[in-house]
Amino acid sequence: MPEPGPPPTESAPFRWREPTSLVRLRWGGYRPRLLGGLLLIVAGGTAVAGGGATSPFATALLFLGSTAHIVGWSVLPAAGWRRIWALIPSTFAMWFLLTGPGWLAILVLPYAGWLLVRHRPLASYPTLLFVLAGAVMVARLFPSYSAMLPALGIMAAVILLSALAARAVHVAQVRVRRGRKPSISPAGSP
């Protein structure tokens, strides 16, 4: 005998979709634009950070890195005004990082831009404090510019984990608004 379906009183299972995946795009697909934009943002920021030396090659890195960074923010799938509000402070933040780990706290600006571009609710913005706290601790651990690479690596991990936390807050908020209790258990488990 076949298994009966869910009782009629149960609603359909919760299915999360990123809000930016619902944005109508004029060109390209959602996933290539998301991954390509993220790659250009990170590569451009890295190139700007590598352009700190005074040489013609370093100057080219600064120019190309800034260009890649701006193009990366520009291609992310989101409303145009959100991308503009994210790319300007983020590009300046990359340039301020040339002064060394003492300015790591400025990474809050690109992270805030990421939250804006990804359409995260205000309830997820307290995750900015994780990035700020991480920057303060890392700047104290690595005070000189010679340790900028490990400092940026640790900050990249902090930003990634903060972005995942912001996404989890967003998913939980949507679940609560739809009348479903947020849970940590995998989908379909009792």
Side-chain angles (χ1 to χ4, degrees), residues 66-165:
S66 297
T67 303
H69 193 75
I70 290 168
V71 169
W73 281 109
S74 300
V75 301
L76 284 175
W81 69 270
R82 290 177 182 262
R83 292 179 287 182
I84 298 297
W85 276 101
L87 77 84
I88 293 170
S90 180
T91 304
F92 284 122
M94 294 303 113
W95 279 76
F96 277 112
L97 286 176
L98 290 171
T99 61
W103 278 87
L104 284 173
I106 204 159
L107 286 173
V108 166
L109 294 176
Y111 179 65
W114 181 257
L115 295 178
L116 179 70
V117 167
R118 300 297 291 161
H119 296 235
R120 297 293 180 236
L122 287 177
S124 67
Y125 279 70
T127 60
L128 289 166
L129 296 174
F130 300 151
V131 176
L132 188 59
V136 169
M137 287 189 285
V138 170
R140 288 181 183 219
L141 287 173
F142 303 102
S144 69
Y145 192 80
S146 62
M148 190 64 165
L149 188 60
L152 285 175
I154 293 169
M155 283 309 299
V158 169
I159 289 171
L160 175 66
L161 292 173
S162 298
L164 291 173

Side-chain angles (χ1 to χ4, degrees), residues 32-45:
R33 283 182 61 174
L34 175 65
L35 296 176
L38 183 57
L39 177 70
L40 285 169
I41 290 167
V42 172

